[in-house]
Amino acid sequence: MALKTASVLAFERKLDPSDALFSSGQWSDRDHGESWPAVIVREKSVRGTISHRFSAKDQDPAKLDDSIQSPNLQAVDVATLPYVHDTLRVRFTLRVLDGAGVPAACNSVDYQARLNAIVEHYASKVGFAVLARRYAHNLANGRFLWRNRVGAEQVEVRARYLIHDDKASPCWTFNSHNFSLRNFDEPAPAAPALQELAQVIEQGLSGSAVLLEVVAYARVGDGQEVYPSQELILDRGNKKGRKSKTLYSLGSVAALHSQKIGNALRTIDTWYPDDGASPMGPIAIEPYGSVTTQGKAYRQPRMKADFYTLLSEWVLNGRPPSEENQHFVMAMLIRGGVFGEKDS
């Protein structure tokens, strides 16, 4: 009987970041960042102008004048540095869990045996070093700061390996501006520290779970706005009088969603099919290579480059993909998700 994909097949994520909290201080005092005060999310009201695109039927000059004269009152959340601080501090912890590629749930013994065999083959013949190196690169380059990285005068990332009793091992420090967001070329002076950090991540993925503390400092200027995650409010009900933008906070402290941190760390896929017309650089590990900002999926099933096709060919038909796509498939299993196939 031909082997079929298990109908119950799920993987837990193996890179598990916490939410990231914001605090602020002076760049020259970042060695004492743990005592910096929190950045608070507050509300402010503004009177905006009408600037949205009008439909053709609403472009009558009289109606347009009436609309322009109507106040566009808005209440929004905002987070800014105080005028005595020039630097944003962003801190989170990152658990790297062992058992990469091992399903958390699988209802087919035969399928799991075949899957275990390919994962063990990958771990022994290829290894997690390439993936660990790219995850480390995305810690060092501060990609997880998202918009807070843009225009920052200086960005520094510090990572340290927390032992179980919370005693800290050596701290790795990176000048993030020396790292590119478009490729994984590493600056020579940072290579030894990056290698050590990557080895810790590789150790976590391949056998012994580890816990890292990651702290980033971005010198953006006193009084400047900073950018925590924005909340998605699905049901706003009556829009009148409600805030048009709600920022994420933990006890009023501005914060980034853990999901947003995770998305930045797994932005390592450079192995997707590309016509070369407009090089995109790394994209996040997603089953179809989706990039929502472009409204485009780079790993189309018709190109047999999507995760489900590659995994099925590898497990069911014994045809391993190229080594680059083996990295992609394993990175998808590290990302986690539910990948079972419904019975037809």
Side-chain angles (χ1 to χ4, degrees):
M1 185 176 178
L3 185 65
K4 295 176 59 178
T5 301
S7 59
V8 176
L9 181 63
F11 295 82
E12 296 174 344
R13 62 176 176 270
K14 299 303 179 184
L15 291 182
D16 195 11
S18 69
D19 288 333
L21 296 178
F22 286 16
S23 55
S24 67
Q26 287 293 106
W27 178 260
S28 57
D29 188 43
R30 61 192 186 283
D31 286 341
H32 305 98
E34 66 279 2
S35 61
W36 287 7
V39 174
I40 304 300
V41 172
R42 55 188 172 82
E43 182 179 315
K44 71 177 181 181
S45 302
V46 297
R47 184 186 190 279
T49 58
I50 302 294
S51 57
H52 62 271
R53 186 188 297 271
F54 286 95
S55 62
K57 65 182 179 59
D58 293 329
Q59 292 184 2
D60 174 79
K63 289 184 177 179
L64 185 57
D65 286 344
D66 289 342
S67 298
I68 296 298
Q69 291 176 24
S70 298
N72 181 21
L73 305 179
Q74 300 178 47
V76 297
D77 277 345
V78 66
T80 61
L81 298 187
Y83 281 93
V84 293
H85 293 161
D86 65 358
T87 299
L88 169 69
R89 179 179 189 264
V90 178
R91 177 191 181 275
F92 65 95
T93 58
L94 174 66
R95 289 193 304 165
V96 185
L97 303 174
D98 58 353
V102 178
C106 179
N107 66 346
S108 169
V109 175
D110 293 338
Y111 184 89
Q112 183 162 353
R114 188 77 66 85
L115 178 63
N116 288 345
I118 69 167
V119 170
E120 289 173 4
H121 182 269
Y122 176 88
S124 61
K125 300 299 182 182
V126 181
F128 294 101
V130 171
L131 296 181
R133 192 84 176 184
R134 293 193 173 201
Y135 295 137
H137 191 105
N138 278 341
L139 289 173
N141 68 16
R143 186 189 294 276
F144 54 85
L145 291 171
W146 292 93
R147 192 176 175 185
N148 297 295
R149 190 184 188 279
V150 177
E153 182 186 356
Q154 294 170 286
V155 180
E156 181 179 279
V157 172
R158 300 180 180 187
R160 61 176 184 151
Y161 176 24
L162 297 179
I163 312 296
H164 296 297
D165 58 3
D166 281 344
K167 292 180 180 178
S169 68
C171 179
W172 301 288
T173 302
F174 303 97
N175 180 343
S176 297
H177 281 168
N178 289 340
F179 291 80
S180 173
L181 297 177
R182 305 282 294 178
N183 58 57
F184 292 100
D185 297 340
E186 57 194 41
L194 192 69
Q195 178 64 22
E196 290 179 12
L197 179 57
Q199 287 175 344
V200 169
I201 295 174
E202 183 182 2
Q203 172 191 340
L205 292 173
S206 55
S208 178
V210 299
L211 176 63
L212 295 168
E213 179 193 53
V214 182
V215 181
Y217 296 92
R219 190 177 190 182
V220 296
D222 59 272
Q224 283 293 316
E225 185 171 3
V226 293
Y227 304 98
S229 294
Q230 186 169 343
E231 295 284 54
L232 175 62
I233 309 297
L234 296 176
D235 181 13
R236 289 188 175 275
N238 182 6
K239 293 183 179 179
K240 188 174 182 180
R242 291 180 178 270
K243 284 190 292 190
S244 58
K245 182 170 72 173
T246 303
L247 297 180
Y248 182 53
S249 62
L250 290 171
S252 298
V253 179
L256 284 173
H257 289 154
S258 59
Q259 290 83 356
K260 196 162 186 173
I261 300 286
N263 184 286
L265 298 187
R266 69 172 185 269
T267 302
I268 62 169
D269 185 5
T270 56
W271 310 298
Y272 54 88
D274 187 10
D275 58 10
S278 55
M280 177 66 187
I283 63 174
I285 293 291
E286 292 291 335
Y288 299 108
S290 57
V291 179
T292 55
T293 54
Q294 291 188 341
K296 183 174 180 177
Y298 282 86
R299 290 183 172 274
Q300 296 283 346
R302 60 179 168 77
M303 304 165 74
K304 300 188 183 304
D306 65 296
F307 166 70
Y308 297 103
T309 300
L310 294 172
L311 182 66
S312 294
E313 284 292 301
W314 198 358
V315 177
L316 302 182
N317 300 326
R319 290 195 282 266
S322 65
E323 186 168 303
E324 292 180 338
N325 276 325
Q326 290 183 34
H327 293 321
F328 166 71
V329 171
M330 289 306 302
M332 269 298 304
L333 301 184
I334 291 169
R335 165 194 178 272
V338 178
F339 307 130
E341 186 174 74
K342 292 183 179 179
D343 295 328
S344 57

